[in-house]
PDB file of all heavy atoms in Angstrom:
ATOM      1  N   ILE A   1       2.058   3.416  -0.502  1.00 98.00           N
ATOM      2  CA  ILE A   1       3.367   4.001  -0.577  1.00 98.00           C
ATOM      3  C   ILE A   1       4.147   3.537   0.693  1.00 98.00           C
ATOM      4  O   ILE A   1       3.752   3.911   1.823  1.00 98.00           O
ATOM      5  CB  ILE A   1       3.347   5.530  -0.673  1.00 98.00           C
ATOM      6  CG1 ILE A   1       2.691   5.941  -2.004  1.00 98.00           C
ATOM      7  CG2 ILE A   1       4.750   6.087  -0.559  1.00 98.00           C
ATOM      8  CD1 ILE A   1       2.433   7.429  -2.079  1.00 98.00           C
ATOM      9  N   GLU A   2       5.180   2.729   0.495  1.00 98.00           N
ATOM     10  CA  GLU A   2       5.939   2.167   1.660  1.00 98.00           C
ATOM     11  C   GLU A   2       7.421   2.557   1.464  1.00 98.00           C
ATOM     12  O   GLU A   2       8.004   2.264   0.402  1.00 98.00           O
ATOM     13  CB  GLU A   2       5.786   0.664   1.674  1.00 98.00           C
ATOM     14  CG  GLU A   2       6.701  -0.083   2.594  1.00 98.00           C
ATOM     15  CD  GLU A   2       6.656   0.351   4.047  1.00 98.00           C
ATOM     16  OE1 GLU A   2       5.545   0.482   4.555  1.00 98.00           O
ATOM     17  OE2 GLU A   2       7.730   0.664   4.583  1.00 98.00           O
ATOM     18  N   HIS A   3       7.983   3.181   2.467  1.00 97.00           N
ATOM     19  CA  HIS A   3       9.358   3.633   2.313  1.00 97.00           C
ATOM     20  C   HIS A   3      10.413   2.559   2.436  1.00 97.00           C
ATOM     21  O   HIS A   3      11.526   2.651   1.890  1.00 97.00           O
ATOM     22  CB  HIS A   3       9.697   4.792   3.316  1.00 97.00           C
ATOM     23  CG  HIS A   3       9.769   4.363   4.763  1.00 97.00           C
ATOM     24  ND1 HIS A   3      10.592   4.985   5.684  1.00 97.00           N
ATOM     25  CD2 HIS A   3       9.127   3.382   5.439  1.00 97.00           C
ATOM     26  CE1 HIS A   3      10.440   4.384   6.836  1.00 97.00           C
ATOM     27  NE2 HIS A   3       9.526   3.434   6.725  1.00 97.00           N
ATOM     28  N   ALA A   4      10.060   1.443   3.163  1.00 96.00           N
ATOM     29  CA  ALA A   4      11.025   0.347   3.249  1.00 96.00           C
ATOM     30  C   ALA A   4      11.075  -0.485   1.955  1.00 96.00           C
ATOM     31  O   ALA A   4      10.219  -0.302   1.057  1.00 96.00           O
ATOM     32  CB  ALA A   4      10.562  -0.574   4.387  1.00 96.00           C
ATOM     33  N   ASN A   5      11.977  -1.433   1.926  1.00 96.00           N
ATOM     34  CA  ASN A   5      12.111  -2.215   0.636  1.00 96.00           C
ATOM     35  C   ASN A   5      11.104  -3.318   0.546  1.00 96.00           C
ATOM     36  O   ASN A   5      11.099  -4.048  -0.491  1.00 96.00           O
ATOM     37  CB  ASN A   5      13.553  -2.728   0.509  1.00 96.00           C
ATOM     38  CG  ASN A   5      13.930  -3.662   1.720  1.00 96.00           C
ATOM     39  OD1 ASN A   5      13.199  -3.812   2.656  1.00 96.00           O
ATOM     40  ND2 ASN A   5      15.107  -4.254   1.611  1.00 96.00           N
ATOM     41  N   ARG A   6      10.329  -3.557   1.614  1.00 97.00           N
ATOM     42  CA  ARG A   6       9.276  -4.547   1.530  1.00 97.00           C
ATOM     43  C   ARG A   6       8.148  -4.138   2.521  1.00 97.00           C
ATOM     44  O   ARG A   6       8.416  -3.384   3.478  1.00 97.00           O
ATOM     45  CB  ARG A   6       9.842  -5.962   1.859  1.00 97.00           C
ATOM     46  CG  ARG A   6      10.353  -6.129   3.241  1.00 97.00           C
ATOM     47  CD  ARG A   6      11.225  -7.297   3.407  1.00 97.00           C
ATOM     48  NE  ARG A   6      10.461  -8.588   3.108  1.00 97.00           N
ATOM     49  CZ  ARG A   6      10.953  -9.755   3.332  1.00 97.00           C
ATOM     50  NH1 ARG A   6      12.200  -9.942   3.783  1.00 97.00           N
ATOM     51  NH2 ARG A   6      10.267 -10.861   3.046  1.00 97.00           N
ATOM     52  N   CYS A   7       6.990  -4.701   2.299  1.00 98.00           N
ATOM     53  CA  CYS A   7       5.871  -4.364   3.199  1.00 98.00           C
ATOM     54  C   CYS A   7       5.854  -5.293   4.394  1.00 98.00           C
ATOM     55  O   CYS A   7       6.372  -6.462   4.374  1.00 98.00           O
ATOM     56  CB  CYS A   7       4.564  -4.549   2.435  1.00 98.00           C
ATOM     57  SG  CYS A   7       4.231  -3.221   1.190  1.00 98.00           S
ATOM     58  N   GLY A   8       5.273  -4.823   5.455  1.00 97.00           N
ATOM     59  CA  GLY A   8       4.972  -5.671   6.586  1.00 97.00           C
ATOM     60  C   GLY A   8       6.121  -6.159   7.419  1.00 97.00           C
ATOM     61  O   GLY A   8       6.144  -7.249   7.944  1.00 97.00           O
ATOM     62  N   LYS A   9       7.181  -5.309   7.534  1.00 96.00           N
ATOM     63  CA  LYS A   9       8.402  -5.735   8.239  1.00 96.00           C
ATOM     64  C   LYS A   9       8.122  -6.099   9.711  1.00 96.00           C
ATOM     65  O   LYS A   9       8.680  -7.033  10.235  1.00 96.00           O
ATOM     66  CB  LYS A   9       9.480  -4.671   8.144  1.00 96.00           C
ATOM     67  CG  LYS A   9      10.261  -4.711   6.851  1.00 96.00           C
ATOM     68  CD  LYS A   9      11.516  -3.870   6.918  1.00 96.00           C
ATOM     69  CE  LYS A   9      12.443  -4.153   5.775  1.00 96.00           C
ATOM     70  NZ  LYS A   9      13.711  -3.433   5.867  1.00 96.00           N
ATOM     71  N   LYS A  10       7.291  -5.292  10.338  1.00 95.00           N
ATOM     72  CA  LYS A  10       6.976  -5.521  11.762  1.00 95.00           C
ATOM     73  C   LYS A  10       6.108  -6.812  11.891  1.00 95.00           C
ATOM     74  O   LYS A  10       6.168  -7.505  12.922  1.00 95.00           O
ATOM     75  CB  LYS A  10       6.330  -4.365  12.462  1.00 95.00           C
ATOM     76  CG  LYS A  10       7.394  -3.350  12.914  1.00 95.00           C
ATOM     77  CD  LYS A  10       6.761  -2.150  13.672  1.00 95.00           C
ATOM     78  CE  LYS A  10       6.481  -2.509  15.082  1.00 95.00           C
ATOM     79  NZ  LYS A  10       5.977  -1.314  15.823  1.00 95.00           N
ATOM     80  N   ILE A  11       5.263  -7.101  10.927  1.00 97.00           N
ATOM     81  CA  ILE A  11       4.489  -8.357  10.916  1.00 97.00           C
ATOM     82  C   ILE A  11       5.432  -9.513  10.877  1.00 97.00           C
ATOM     83  O   ILE A  11       5.290 -10.483  11.645  1.00 97.00           O
ATOM     84  CB  ILE A  11       3.530  -8.389   9.676  1.00 97.00           C
ATOM     85  CG1 ILE A  11       2.590  -7.202   9.667  1.00 97.00           C
ATOM     86  CG2 ILE A  11       2.754  -9.718   9.720  1.00 97.00           C
ATOM     87  CD1 ILE A  11       1.688  -7.159   8.415  1.00 97.00           C
ATOM     88  N   LEU A  12       6.447  -9.408  10.042  1.00 97.00           N
ATOM     89  CA  LEU A  12       7.408 -10.491   9.783  1.00 97.00           C
ATOM     90  C   LEU A  12       8.154 -10.873  11.158  1.00 97.00           C
ATOM     91  O   LEU A  12       8.365 -12.035  11.378  1.00 97.00           O
ATOM     92  CB  LEU A  12       8.433 -10.133   8.709  1.00 97.00           C
ATOM     93  CG  LEU A  12       7.874 -10.085   7.311  1.00 97.00           C
ATOM     94  CD1 LEU A  12       8.897  -9.514   6.354  1.00 97.00           C
ATOM     95  CD2 LEU A  12       7.385 -11.385   6.800  1.00 97.00           C
ATOM     96  N   MET A  13       8.486  -9.876  11.921  1.00 94.00           N
ATOM     97  CA  MET A  13       9.251 -10.126  13.118  1.00 94.00           C
ATOM     98  C   MET A  13       8.372 -10.465  14.322  1.00 94.00           C
ATOM     99  O   MET A  13       8.845 -10.885  15.357  1.00 94.00           O
ATOM    100  CB  MET A  13      10.166  -8.955  13.447  1.00 94.00           C
ATOM    101  CG  MET A  13       9.426  -7.711  13.888  1.00 94.00           C
ATOM    102  SD  MET A  13      10.534  -6.438  14.570  1.00 94.00           S
ATOM    103  CE  MET A  13      11.019  -7.207  16.086  1.00 94.00           C
ATOM    104  N   SER A  14       7.058 -10.259  14.176  1.00 94.00           N
ATOM    105  CA  SER A  14       6.195 -10.336  15.314  1.00 94.00           C
ATOM    106  C   SER A  14       5.993 -11.818  15.777  1.00 94.00           C
ATOM    107  O   SER A  14       6.089 -12.745  15.007  1.00 94.00           O
ATOM    108  CB  SER A  14       4.805  -9.755  15.039  1.00 94.00           C
ATOM    109  OG  SER A  14       4.128 -10.578  14.052  1.00 94.00           O
ATOM    110  N   GLY A  15       5.735 -11.966  17.043  1.00 93.00           N
ATOM    111  CA  GLY A  15       5.421 -13.288  17.598  1.00 93.00           C
ATOM    112  C   GLY A  15       6.601 -14.296  17.349  1.00 93.00           C
ATOM    113  O   GLY A  15       6.364 -15.451  17.106  1.00 93.00           O
ATOM    114  N   GLY A  16       7.811 -13.742  17.501  1.00 93.00           N
ATOM    115  CA  GLY A  16       8.960 -14.655  17.257  1.00 93.00           C
ATOM    116  C   GLY A  16       8.981 -15.224  15.849  1.00 93.00           C
ATOM    117  O   GLY A  16       9.488 -16.332  15.615  1.00 93.00           O
ATOM    118  N   GLY A  17       8.487 -14.429  14.861  1.00 96.00           N
ATOM    119  CA  GLY A  17       8.428 -14.899  13.458  1.00 96.00           C
ATOM    120  C   GLY A  17       7.192 -15.767  13.116  1.00 96.00           C
ATOM    121  O   GLY A  17       7.117 -16.245  12.007  1.00 96.00           O
ATOM    122  N   ARG A  18       6.278 -15.865  14.098  1.00 97.00           N
ATOM    123  CA  ARG A  18       5.067 -16.632  13.792  1.00 97.00           C
ATOM    124  C   ARG A  18       3.777 -15.753  13.819  1.00 97.00           C
ATOM    125  O   ARG A  18       2.723 -16.252  13.494  1.00 97.00           O
ATOM    126  CB  ARG A  18       4.937 -17.759  14.851  1.00 97.00           C
ATOM    127  CG  ARG A  18       5.951 -18.858  14.638  1.00 97.00           C
ATOM    128  CD  ARG A  18       5.267 -20.231  14.757  1.00 97.00           C
ATOM    129  NE  ARG A  18       6.160 -21.265  14.277  1.00 97.00           N
ATOM    130  CZ  ARG A  18       6.699 -22.209  15.133  1.00 97.00           C
ATOM    131  NH1 ARG A  18       6.538 -22.114  16.405  1.00 97.00           N
ATOM    132  NH2 ARG A  18       7.471 -23.116  14.638  1.00 97.00           N
ATOM    133  N   CYS A  19       3.925 -14.502  14.139  1.00 98.00           N
ATOM    134  CA  CYS A  19       2.822 -13.505  14.076  1.00 98.00           C
ATOM    135  C   CYS A  19       1.587 -13.856  14.915  1.00 98.00           C
ATOM    136  O   CYS A  19       0.780 -14.735  14.502  1.00 98.00           O
ATOM    137  CB  CYS A  19       2.348 -13.266  12.637  1.00 98.00           C
ATOM    138  SG  CYS A  19       1.193 -11.870  12.552  1.00 98.00           S
ATOM    139  N   ASN A  20       1.485 -13.188  16.050  1.00 98.00           N
ATOM    140  CA  ASN A  20       0.283 -13.335  16.903  1.00 98.00           C
ATOM    141  C   ASN A  20      -0.813 -12.461  16.330  1.00 98.00           C
ATOM    142  O   ASN A  20      -0.959 -11.316  16.732  1.00 98.00           O
ATOM    143  CB  ASN A  20       0.680 -12.946  18.388  1.00 98.00           C
ATOM    144  CG  ASN A  20      -0.446 -12.974  19.330  1.00 98.00           C
ATOM    145  OD1 ASN A  20      -0.307 -12.509  20.480  1.00 98.00           O
ATOM    146  ND2 ASN A  20      -1.610 -13.579  18.982  1.00 98.00           N
ATOM    147  N   PHE A  21      -1.501 -12.977  15.291  1.00 98.00           N
ATOM    148  CA  PHE A  21      -2.251 -12.121  14.364  1.00 98.00           C
ATOM    149  C   PHE A  21      -3.587 -11.582  14.964  1.00 98.00           C
ATOM    150  O   PHE A  21      -4.176 -10.669  14.406  1.00 98.00           O
ATOM    151  CB  PHE A  21      -2.445 -12.787  13.037  1.00 98.00           C
ATOM    152  CG  PHE A  21      -3.102 -14.149  13.059  1.00 98.00           C
ATOM    153  CD1 PHE A  21      -4.474 -14.245  13.210  1.00 98.00           C
ATOM    154  CD2 PHE A  21      -2.335 -15.299  12.969  1.00 98.00           C
ATOM    155  CE1 PHE A  21      -5.099 -15.500  13.278  1.00 98.00           C
ATOM    156  CE2 PHE A  21      -2.966 -16.570  12.967  1.00 98.00           C
ATOM    157  CZ  PHE A  21      -4.317 -16.640  13.147  1.00 98.00           C
ATOM    158  N   THR A  22      -4.127 -12.221  15.982  1.00 98.00           N
ATOM    159  CA  THR A  22      -5.313 -11.666  16.670  1.00 98.00           C
ATOM    160  C   THR A  22      -5.413 -12.244  18.048  1.00 98.00           C
ATOM    161  O   THR A  22      -4.603 -13.146  18.402  1.00 98.00           O
ATOM    162  CB  THR A  22      -6.611 -11.851  15.854  1.00 98.00           C
ATOM    163  OG1 THR A  22      -7.684 -11.076  16.435  1.00 98.00           O
ATOM    164  CG2 THR A  22      -7.054 -13.327  15.852  1.00 98.00           C
ATOM    165  N   ASN A  23      -6.441 -11.844  18.744  1.00 98.00           N
ATOM    166  CA  ASN A  23      -6.788 -12.453  20.042  1.00 98.00           C
ATOM    167  C   ASN A  23      -8.280 -12.696  20.074  1.00 98.00           C
ATOM    168  O   ASN A  23      -9.060 -11.746  19.870  1.00 98.00           O
ATOM    169  CB  ASN A  23      -6.366 -11.572  21.201  1.00 98.00           C
ATOM    170  CG  ASN A  23      -6.425 -12.331  22.525  1.00 98.00           C
ATOM    171  OD1 ASN A  23      -7.509 -12.736  22.943  1.00 98.00           O
ATOM    172  ND2 ASN A  23      -5.266 -12.463  23.185  1.00 98.00           N
ATOM    173  N   THR A  24      -8.667 -13.949  20.291  1.00 98.00           N
ATOM    174  CA  THR A  24     -10.108 -14.274  20.238  1.00 98.00           C
ATOM    175  C   THR A  24     -10.920 -13.587  21.310  1.00 98.00           C
ATOM    176  O   THR A  24     -12.167 -13.497  21.205  1.00 98.00           O
ATOM    177  CB  THR A  24     -10.323 -15.785  20.347  1.00 98.00           C
ATOM    178  OG1 THR A  24      -9.714 -16.251  21.610  1.00 98.00           O
ATOM    179  CG2 THR A  24      -9.687 -16.548  19.213  1.00 98.00           C
ATOM    180  N   GLY A  25     -10.250 -13.106  22.384  1.00 98.00           N
ATOM    181  CA  GLY A  25     -10.999 -12.451  23.458  1.00 98.00           C
ATOM    182  C   GLY A  25     -10.967 -10.933  23.396  1.00 98.00           C
ATOM    183  O   GLY A  25     -11.156 -10.278  24.361  1.00 98.00           O
ATOM    184  N   THR A  26     -10.716 -10.392  22.204  1.00 98.00           N
ATOM    185  CA  THR A  26     -10.609  -8.912  22.077  1.00 98.00           C
ATOM    186  C   THR A  26     -11.827  -8.183  22.546  1.00 98.00           C
ATOM    187  O   THR A  26     -12.938  -8.466  21.994  1.00 98.00           O
ATOM    188  CB  THR A  26     -10.249  -8.542  20.620  1.00 98.00           C
ATOM    189  OG1 THR A  26      -9.049  -9.176  20.209  1.00 98.00           O
ATOM    190  CG2 THR A  26     -10.047  -7.042  20.513  1.00 98.00           C
ATOM    191  N   THR A  27     -11.652  -7.227  23.441  1.00 98.00           N
ATOM    192  CA  THR A  27     -12.716  -6.273  23.808  1.00 98.00           C
ATOM    193  C   THR A  27     -12.115  -4.848  23.922  1.00 98.00           C
ATOM    194  O   THR A  27     -10.895  -4.766  23.985  1.00 98.00           O
ATOM    195  CB  THR A  27     -13.291  -6.625  25.213  1.00 98.00           C
ATOM    196  OG1 THR A  27     -12.337  -6.315  26.214  1.00 98.00           O
ATOM    197  CG2 THR A  27     -13.663  -8.080  25.348  1.00 98.00           C
ATOM    198  N   PRO A  28     -12.964  -3.864  23.946  1.00 98.00           N
ATOM    199  CA  PRO A  28     -12.416  -2.501  24.121  1.00 98.00           C
ATOM    200  C   PRO A  28     -11.588  -2.350  25.380  1.00 98.00           C
ATOM    201  O   PRO A  28     -10.738  -1.446  25.421  1.00 98.00           O
ATOM    202  CB  PRO A  28     -13.683  -1.626  24.069  1.00 98.00           C
ATOM    203  CG  PRO A  28     -14.625  -2.367  23.289  1.00 98.00           C
ATOM    204  CD  PRO A  28     -14.409  -3.816  23.654  1.00 98.00           C
ATOM    205  N   ALA A  29     -11.891  -3.111  26.383  1.00 98.00           N
ATOM    206  CA  ALA A  29     -11.161  -3.016  27.699  1.00 98.00           C
ATOM    207  C   ALA A  29      -9.672  -3.400  27.552  1.00 98.00           C
ATOM    208  O   ALA A  29      -8.899  -3.128  28.438  1.00 98.00           O
ATOM    209  CB  ALA A  29     -11.808  -3.866  28.697  1.00 98.00           C
ATOM    210  N   ASN A  30      -9.288  -4.001  26.434  1.00 98.00           N
ATOM    211  CA  ASN A  30      -7.891  -4.423  26.199  1.00 98.00           C
ATOM    212  C   ASN A  30      -7.048  -3.353  25.546  1.00 98.00           C
ATOM    213  O   ASN A  30      -5.951  -3.624  25.105  1.00 98.00           O
ATOM    214  CB  ASN A  30      -7.835  -5.713  25.315  1.00 98.00           C
ATOM    215  CG  ASN A  30      -8.603  -6.858  25.881  1.00 98.00           C
ATOM    216  OD1 ASN A  30      -9.586  -7.352  25.310  1.00 98.00           O
ATOM    217  ND2 ASN A  30      -8.229  -7.322  27.086  1.00 98.00           N
ATOM    218  N   PHE A  31      -7.601  -2.118  25.537  1.00 98.00           N
ATOM    219  CA  PHE A  31      -6.856  -1.008  24.833  1.00 98.00           C
ATOM    220  C   PHE A  31      -6.775   0.216  25.742  1.00 98.00           C
ATOM    221  O   PHE A  31      -7.623   0.471  26.604  1.00 98.00           O
ATOM    222  CB  PHE A  31      -7.609  -0.629  23.562  1.00 98.00           C
ATOM    223  CG  PHE A  31      -7.618  -1.681  22.501  1.00 98.00           C
ATOM    224  CD1 PHE A  31      -8.579  -2.736  22.562  1.00 98.00           C
ATOM    225  CD2 PHE A  31      -6.656  -1.754  21.519  1.00 98.00           C
ATOM    226  CE1 PHE A  31      -8.556  -3.768  21.635  1.00 98.00           C
ATOM    227  CE2 PHE A  31      -6.629  -2.810  20.596  1.00 98.00           C
ATOM    228  CZ  PHE A  31      -7.556  -3.783  20.691  1.00 98.00           C
ATOM    229  N   LEU A  32      -5.667   0.951  25.547  1.00 98.00           N
ATOM    230  CA  LEU A  32      -5.463   2.226  26.288  1.00 98.00           C
ATOM    231  C   LEU A  32      -5.633   3.374  25.286  1.00 98.00           C
ATOM    232  O   LEU A  32      -5.132   3.310  24.126  1.00 98.00           O
ATOM    233  CB  LEU A  32      -4.069   2.338  26.861  1.00 98.00           C
ATOM    234  CG  LEU A  32      -3.716   1.422  28.020  1.00 98.00           C
ATOM    235  CD1 LEU A  32      -3.270   0.066  27.498  1.00 98.00           C
ATOM    236  CD2 LEU A  32      -2.578   2.063  28.796  1.00 98.00           C
ATOM    237  N   SER A  33      -6.309   4.465  25.701  1.00 98.00           N
ATOM    238  CA  SER A  33      -6.503   5.610  24.889  1.00 98.00           C
ATOM    239  C   SER A  33      -7.016   6.728  25.771  1.00 98.00           C
ATOM    240  O   SER A  33      -7.676   6.454  26.813  1.00 98.00           O
ATOM    241  CB  SER A  33      -7.550   5.327  23.794  1.00 98.00           C
ATOM    242  OG  SER A  33      -7.858   6.525  23.058  1.00 98.00           O
ATOM    243  N   ALA A  34      -6.770   8.002  25.405  1.00 98.00           N
ATOM    244  CA  ALA A  34      -7.355   9.102  26.143  1.00 98.00           C
ATOM    245  C   ALA A  34      -8.843   9.033  26.100  1.00 98.00           C
ATOM    246  O   ALA A  34      -9.590   9.483  26.989  1.00 98.00           O
ATOM    247  CB  ALA A  34      -6.850  10.423  25.634  1.00 98.00           C
ATOM    248  N   ASN A  35      -9.383   8.428  24.972  1.00 98.00           N
ATOM    249  CA  ASN A  35     -10.858   8.198  24.876  1.00 98.00           C
ATOM    250  C   ASN A  35     -11.076   6.686  24.766  1.00 98.00           C
ATOM    251  O   ASN A  35     -10.996   6.147  23.666  1.00 98.00           O
ATOM    252  CB  ASN A  35     -11.384   8.907  23.670  1.00 98.00           C
ATOM    253  CG  ASN A  35     -12.893   8.541  23.468  1.00 98.00           C
ATOM    254  OD1 ASN A  35     -13.504   7.901  24.277  1.00 98.00           O
ATOM    255  ND2 ASN A  35     -13.439   8.984  22.368  1.00 98.00           N
ATOM    256  N   PRO A  36     -11.361   6.035  25.911  1.00 97.00           N
ATOM    257  CA  PRO A  36     -11.440   4.530  25.860  1.00 97.00           C
ATOM    258  C   PRO A  36     -12.661   4.074  25.065  1.00 97.00           C
ATOM    259  O   PRO A  36     -12.733   2.844  24.746  1.00 97.00           O
ATOM    260  CB  PRO A  36     -11.645   4.184  27.339  1.00 97.00           C
ATOM    261  CG  PRO A  36     -12.062   5.433  28.051  1.00 97.00           C
ATOM    262  CD  PRO A  36     -11.497   6.560  27.263  1.00 97.00           C
ATOM    263  N   HIS A  37     -13.576   4.980  24.645  1.00 98.00           N
ATOM    264  CA  HIS A  37     -14.710   4.575  23.861  1.00 98.00           C
ATOM    265  C   HIS A  37     -14.432   4.521  22.343  1.00 98.00           C
ATOM    266  O   HIS A  37     -15.145   3.929  21.560  1.00 98.00           O
ATOM    267  CB  HIS A  37     -15.919   5.496  24.112  1.00 98.00           C
ATOM    268  CG  HIS A  37     -16.337   5.539  25.532  1.00 98.00           C
ATOM    269  ND1 HIS A  37     -16.943   4.483  26.159  1.00 98.00           N
ATOM    270  CD2 HIS A  37     -16.169   6.504  26.431  1.00 98.00           C
ATOM    271  CE1 HIS A  37     -17.177   4.790  27.424  1.00 98.00           C
ATOM    272  NE2 HIS A  37     -16.728   6.013  27.624  1.00 98.00           N
TER     273      HIS A  37
END
């Protein structure tokens, strides 16, 4: 259920319209949270 008229609007605008869809170096240390684990 999507309230907008199309899905993925923020995906469409991301990365200057080219979508930085992942990062090959992803680790838990690249995230902020009250529970970093």
Side-chain angles (χ1 to χ4, degrees):
I1 296 171
E2 169 55 50
H3 70 148
N5 60 354
R6 64 197 299 188
C7 288
K9 279 194 167 184
K10 277 183 80 176
I11 303 174
L12 292 171
M13 68 169 289
S14 69
R18 288 224 168 110
C19 188
N20 178 191
F21 56 78
T22 191
N23 193 298
T24 57
T26 302
T27 72
N30 303 118
F31 295 84
L32 290 85
S33 173
N35 175 5
H37 301 290

